[in-house]
Amino acid sequence: GGSLIRPEATGYGLTYFVQEMLKTKNTTLAGKTVCVSGFGNVCWGTCLKSVELGAKVVTISGPDGYIYDPAGMNAEKINYLLELRATNNDVVAPY
């Protein structure tokens, strides 16, 4: 997903769509707990934008399993996962 220039674009779009749907229920992502499945561009774009909008992202999955972080992920943790992904090992276990 995404574009070559902005790989996070599709994940951001997904998050904006969810935000707009929540508005119809008079609420926002702020304070919500979010679970994300995947390890690709859509996933990390969704995680970054959700955190930016005040959500707490607690799960992400990769080919070798999943992460559950009850404290929630922040930009630093997400960037670490991106570093892991860039090794082409596609693992989340070191998290």
Side-chain angles (χ1 to χ4, degrees):
S3 69
L4 294 177
I5 298 172
R6 293 183 53 236
E8 73 283 358
T10 304
Y12 280 21
L14 168 69
T15 308
Y16 290 136
F17 175 78
V18 169
Q19 183 80 335
E20 290 302 312
M21 294 303 296
L22 288 170
K23 279 184 188 176
T24 69
K25 302 295 183 185
N26 297 315
T27 190
T28 67
L29 272 172
K32 301 282 188 293
T33 300
V34 176
C35 298
V36 181
S37 175
F39 201 57
N41 293 341
V42 176
C43 176
W44 72 265
T46 300
C47 290
L48 283 171
K49 188 53 67 176
S50 294
V51 168
E52 183 180 308
L53 294 173
K56 180 167 78 168
V57 178
V58 295
T59 64
I60 191 172
S61 62
D64 65 329
Y66 70 95
I67 295 165
Y68 172 63
D69 185 342
M73 297 180 192
N74 57 28
E76 182 180 338
K77 292 176 181 179
I78 295 167
N79 285 331
Y80 176 66
L81 286 169
L82 287 172
E83 289 175 23
L84 289 176
R85 193 179 89 156
T87 67
N88 291 321
N89 288 330
D90 285 342
V91 295
V92 296
Y95 181 84

